[in-house]
Amino acid sequence: MVTLKASYTVKPAEPKPSELMYLSEFDQVIATTHVPTVYFYRPISDRSLVLNPIEILKNSLTKALTIFYPLAGRLQWTGRGRLELNCNSMGALFLEAESEAKIDDFGDFTPTSETRALIPYVDYNKPIDELPLLLVQVTKFSCGGISLGLGMSHVLVDGRCIAHFVSEWARIARGEEPENLPFLDRTVLKLEEDDLTPPRFDHLEFSKPPMLIGQTDNLEERKKETTVVMLKLSKEHIQKLKKEANEFPSVYTSSKPFTRYEAVTAHMWRCTSKVRLHEIEQLTSVRFTVDFHSRMVPPLPKHYFGNAVLPMRSATVTSGELLLKPLGYGCSKIREAIEKVTDEYVRSSLAYLKREKDLSKLRYSHVVGSTQGVFLGNPNIVITSWIGLPWCGVDFGWGKEIYMGPGTVGLDGKSFVFLSRDEDGSFDAPFRLQVEHMDAFKKFFYENI
């Protein structure tokens, strides 16, 4: 059980005059929830060398927010389902908590309700302009270790931005000077007001994903009980999947071999369709994000601070095709979607979204059990890659974390894939699925790999 000891509002050390900041179309279609992540730190071996972690984190956060000042602001609606950012220095929420648990009680760090309790709760029924965009909770465990639970508004940041902010905050906490300042001007992704160029592509990624055959809505699927498992893939597992993906037949292969992510995601997609007992004609797709920083011409500034990922969807296929054809078939559908994301495609996406009268219909919720927004679960899955993100090795002055991962996995069929803490080439992949399918999924997932 987690007990709240104190609550603070942390504001920038040097508040800036209030200003309204433009949010790009790619910020607009992201869920209005917070991205929950959690870091675990073992007990500090030599306490005489370290001051109070709470004070270190609070004091350094005020300095970090002076640089990353949008995180101290508030969102507000402008109409047509769109948002803008009021940089008003209202500050971040900072909680100090204690728990009778030990770090070892969290086992393999599967995201559970106990893990979620390490991150500040948000009441999304409140007006959006009352919600802090950065949430911080430091929890002290009975073993002497601590966790740092973070919630950062997804409207403002993608995974790359989160990693950037946390690394600079840690640098400041260690008494060092900031090294990589954020690029805060989001108008680099803004179309001119008189630019009426129509989109050049269909952008099916913004359409509703398939539903189960015979259903006219997904209310029943939303209600079903789900659970989370931490999938562990050794380096050998991954190599075997890559080999299988690339050996059948050449029609499914690209000019480049399929990647680890593509092979693992296609395998999860197949296993999920199998245990959900889909009819062979059932349409299914997998959703993922593609980082387009370097895909634009010219590339976005290296430390662009905003969402620079495009939510893509594989070509929709039938479960029968997915299961009867080789693993490389599923990989090829994922690769096709990834390779679509060029400078031209990104700009066409901006044009498509600019023409939408109400962007709220395109958003989906990360909150378990939510009935709001687009439903991405059964018969579909969502697999987000954190493989290339510099999440790990965050040292605030008392050593690097022993584990970092998502604080929750918010919907049926959702997973994150990232390098494990063992640094041996293995992957961790927390995965949420309906309870009735989970045992069969684990069995099929590990068969033959």
Side-chain angles (χ1 to χ4, degrees):
M1 180 178 177
V2 174
T3 303
L4 180 64
K5 306 299 290 185
S7 175
Y8 313 92
T9 297
V10 178
K11 297 186 177 183
E14 301 173 16
K16 294 181 176 290
S18 184
E19 65 172 280
L20 296 179
M21 181 174 285
Y22 170 78
L23 298 176
S24 82
E25 304 297 331
F26 298 125
D27 299 318
Q28 301 286 355
V29 293
I30 296 293
T32 55
T33 49
H34 293 69
V35 181
T37 56
V38 62
Y39 294 78
F40 288 88
Y41 294 88
R42 288 289 186 195
I44 300 164
S45 57
D46 189 347
R47 294 180 180 276
S48 65
L49 298 179
V50 182
L51 298 174
N52 184 341
I54 300 292
E55 293 306 312
I56 291 176
L57 290 168
K58 279 199 302 179
N59 292 337
S60 57
L61 183 57
T62 65
K63 299 174 183 177
L65 287 177
T66 302
I67 302 167
F68 294 84
Y69 64 87
L71 289 173
R74 297 292 185 269
L75 296 173
Q76 57 191 38
W77 294 107
T78 64
R80 297 175 62 214
R82 285 166 165 79
L83 293 156
E84 64 184 359
L85 175 61
N86 186 356
C87 296
N88 54 14
S89 299
M90 291 292 290
L93 175 66
F94 190 109
L95 302 181
E96 181 181 352
E98 292 182 355
S99 173
E100 297 177 357
K102 301 178 178 64
I103 288 181
D104 289 343
D105 294 337
F106 291 88
D108 62 2
F109 300 105
T110 299
T112 61
S113 57
E114 288 77 18
T115 310
R116 186 64 185 86
L118 304 177
I119 303 166
Y121 168 78
V122 182
D123 182 0
Y124 291 108
N125 291 315
K126 288 186 175 181
I128 201 165
D129 57 3
E130 295 180 12
L131 301 179
L133 304 179
L134 173 60
L135 316 167
V136 179
Q137 180 174 317
V138 181
T139 305
K140 298 178 181 178
F141 299 109
S142 60
C143 62
I146 64 172
S147 67
L148 174 63
L150 301 177
M152 296 179 68
S153 172
H154 211 336
V155 173
L156 258 64
V157 295
D158 58 19
R160 183 191 290 230
C161 296
I162 295 172
H164 177 199
F165 168 74
V166 175
S167 65
E168 292 302 306
W169 178 17
R171 195 185 308 276
I172 294 169
R174 298 195 303 268
E176 302 172 19
E177 290 297 316
E179 189 172 283
N180 301 305
L181 299 181
F183 184 89
L184 299 175
D185 183 6
R186 296 170 188 241
T187 61
V188 295
L189 287 177
K190 183 178 183 180
L191 297 177
E192 297 298 328
E193 292 302 324
D194 58 353
D195 186 348
L196 301 178
T197 304
R200 300 192 62 182
F201 301 90
D202 291 335
H203 297 290
L204 297 177
E205 64 270 16
F206 296 120
S207 63
K208 289 185 178 180
M211 287 193 297
L212 286 174
I213 292 174
Q215 292 191 4
T216 56
D217 59 48
N218 44 48
L219 293 180
E220 288 303 313
E221 292 303 305
R222 289 179 186 263
K223 295 176 183 177
K224 290 184 178 179
E225 184 181 0
T226 58
T227 187
V228 180
V229 65
M230 180 67 84
L231 301 172
K232 300 282 188 177
L233 289 122
S234 67
K235 184 177 181 180
E236 291 70 31
H237 285 149
I238 298 165
Q239 289 174 335
K240 188 168 183 179
L241 286 172
K242 272 193 68 177
K243 182 175 184 295
E244 180 184 348
N246 287 294
E247 68 185 4
F248 274 107
S250 59
V251 68
Y252 299 134
T253 57
S254 172
S255 57
K256 296 179 181 178
F258 293 122
T259 64
R260 296 176 298 174
Y261 169 77
E262 289 165 343
V264 169
T265 298
H267 180 59
M268 294 178 71
W269 190 14
R270 296 175 86 197
C271 291
T272 306
S273 290
K274 185 172 184 176
V275 302
R276 283 170 166 170
L277 303 178
H278 288 160
E279 298 179 31
I280 59 173
E281 300 88 1
Q282 175 64 57
L283 295 177
T284 176
S285 68
V286 56
R287 181 181 171 113
F288 44 85
T289 56
V290 179
D291 185 324
F292 58 74
H293 277 84
S294 61
R295 294 171 181 257
M296 298 201 72
V297 182
L300 285 180
K302 183 177 180 181
H303 299 298
Y304 175 79
F305 197 72
N307 286 286
V309 292
L310 195 56
M312 295 298 290
R313 205 168 77 202
S314 69
T316 299
V317 302
T318 67
S319 290
E321 290 176 303
L322 193 62
L323 295 174
L324 295 175
K325 293 184 178 181
L327 182 64
Y329 175 75
C331 292
S332 71
K333 297 305 176 183
I334 296 167
R335 174 67 62 86
E336 286 172 11
I338 293 173
E339 290 184 339
K340 278 184 181 179
V341 184
T342 61
D343 176 78
E344 186 180 31
Y345 196 88
V346 172
R347 297 184 189 282
S348 175
S349 299
L350 287 170
Y352 177 92
L353 294 172
K354 182 180 177 181
R355 288 172 168 240
E356 280 292 320
K357 293 182 179 180
D358 184 0
L359 290 177
S360 60
K361 66 181 182 181
L362 302 181
R363 294 189 184 99
Y364 67 98
S365 176
H366 287 287
V367 181
V368 177
S370 172
T371 59
Q372 303 300 313
V374 179
F375 180 70
L376 302 176
N378 192 12
N380 312 293
I381 64 170
V382 184
I383 312 290
T384 299
S385 173
W386 283 1
I387 297 169
L389 295 176
W391 287 113
C392 301
V394 176
D395 180 3
F396 288 91
W398 46 82
K400 298 177 181 179
E401 81 285 351
I402 60 166
Y403 175 81
M404 177 274 169
T408 187
V409 180
L411 53 94
D412 172 37
K414 171 70 175 179
S415 181
F416 299 90
V417 179
F418 49 93
L419 293 170
S420 77
R421 54 183 168 143
D422 297 326
E423 299 182 348
D424 58 359
S426 61
F427 286 174
D428 286 345
F431 183 48
R432 181 176 289 276
L433 196 64
Q434 292 173 7
V435 171
E436 61 184 299
H437 302 315
M438 184 59 85
D439 287 343
F441 174 86
K442 289 187 288 186
K443 176 179 180 293
F444 290 128
F445 183 80
Y446 287 108
E447 276 186 348
N448 303 318
I449 64 169

